[in-house]
Amino acid sequence: TDASIILQGDYECVVIRNCTLDPGGSDDILGNAVGVVSLEIQGHVEKLIIDQSITGPISMAAGAEVEEVTICDSILQAQSGFAINLETAAACIERTTVFGGTILHTIMATEVLMTAITTITDTQKGCFRFSAAPLGSRVPRSYPYPLQDFTAASQWFTSMVFGQPGYGQLSAVAPLEISRGAENGSEIGAFASLLNPIKIDSLHIKVAEYMPFGLIPMFIFET
């Protein structure tokens, strides 16, 4: 059964850190579908912070308001529709993967992976740097990469199903603009801070330097 966490009243700051609000998409041990846990704002929130968390969709009820939202090192997912629907909010998003559509007022995005249409009301403010969004999105000028063709996006991830070991992880077929699109050469999205591509490059260098002549290395990646 789907469920919602509802914020009513006035809040100066709401922080969700190191938490999981189940985005659904998988079955429990008995084979029953796991419901989606969404976050709905029905009051006034000056600042909403989501840090190192996985959540279902985030939205506002009619008449509600979120002034600012900060999202870092997280995964947000909607099984359909919008993963983020906060049309009044000025957003700062870093190292985050969003499975689902997004509506915001303004955005400051760095190393963010948006997999569905993203609509920013005011594109004269903010930035969309070292990030990716599908063609047809409305975002501030995308630097240094143009908007991407996400037709094959489902193949770019080991899994898009919460509960599976490779959930949210990029696969070997992801485009370079995504798998190595961060400012420091790492991947963009929720796992950017792990520096996996940089670690892999370092491993290749060490193996080439120390492996005995005539042997061929094989690299096996596990989730």
Side-chain angles (χ1 to χ4, degrees):
T1 303
D2 295 345
S4 295
I5 295 176
I6 297 174
L7 298 179
Q8 297 177 330
D10 294 335
Y11 296 86
E12 181 177 343
C13 184
V14 175
V15 180
I16 298 175
R17 178 175 288 124
N18 300 323
C19 292
T20 298
L21 308 182
D22 200 316
S26 60
D27 298 336
D28 63 18
I29 194 171
L30 299 177
N32 301 313
V34 176
V36 176
V37 180
S38 58
L39 176 65
E40 182 179 355
I41 291 87
Q42 295 185 357
H44 177 267
V45 177
E46 289 187 25
K47 189 166 187 176
L48 173 64
I49 299 174
I50 299 173
D51 181 27
Q52 300 182 65
S53 296
I54 298 173
T55 78
I58 301 174
S59 62
M60 297 188 309
E65 182 181 19
V66 177
E67 295 183 20
E68 299 179 28
V69 59
T70 299
I71 306 173
C72 299
D73 303 289
S74 297
I75 300 175
L76 286 72
Q77 183 170 23
Q79 297 303 319
S80 62
F82 296 102
I84 306 173
N85 190 352
L86 302 172
E87 60 184 0
T88 65
C92 178
I93 308 179
E94 299 178 351
R95 301 177 303 279
T96 292
T97 300
V98 181
F99 295 124
T102 298
I103 296 179
L104 293 163
H105 184 66
T106 63
I107 191 170
M108 297 278 292
T110 299
E111 295 163 354
V112 175
L113 179 51
M114 304 283 199
T115 64
I117 294 296
T118 300
T119 303
I120 307 302
T121 304
D122 186 354
T123 59
Q124 301 301 310
K125 299 178 182 177
C127 64
F128 199 75
R129 58 191 301 274
F130 298 96
S131 299
L135 293 170
S137 296
R138 175 185 167 90
V139 297
R141 182 176 178 271
S142 183
Y143 171 85
Y145 312 114
L147 298 181
Q148 303 287 316
D149 181 358
F150 273 64
T151 304
S154 61
Q155 302 174 20
W156 299 350
F157 296 90
T158 303
S159 173
M160 297 174 66
V161 179
F162 177 70
Q164 293 186 354
Y167 175 64
Q169 293 181 347
L170 294 177
S171 70
V173 301
L176 288 178
E177 292 85 354
I178 292 174
S179 62
R180 292 179 177 268
E183 188 171 7
N184 60 1
S186 184
E187 64 188 271
I188 66 173
F191 296 97
S193 61
L194 296 182
L195 306 178
N196 285 329
I198 297 173
K199 293 176 181 177
I200 292 169
D201 288 344
S202 298
L203 178 62
H204 277 273
I205 292 171
K206 290 300 182 184
V207 168
E209 182 178 358
Y210 291 107
M211 176 165 280
F213 180 76
L215 297 181
I216 300 176
M218 177 179 293
F219 299 91
I220 300 173
F221 299 96
E222 296 185 356
T223 57

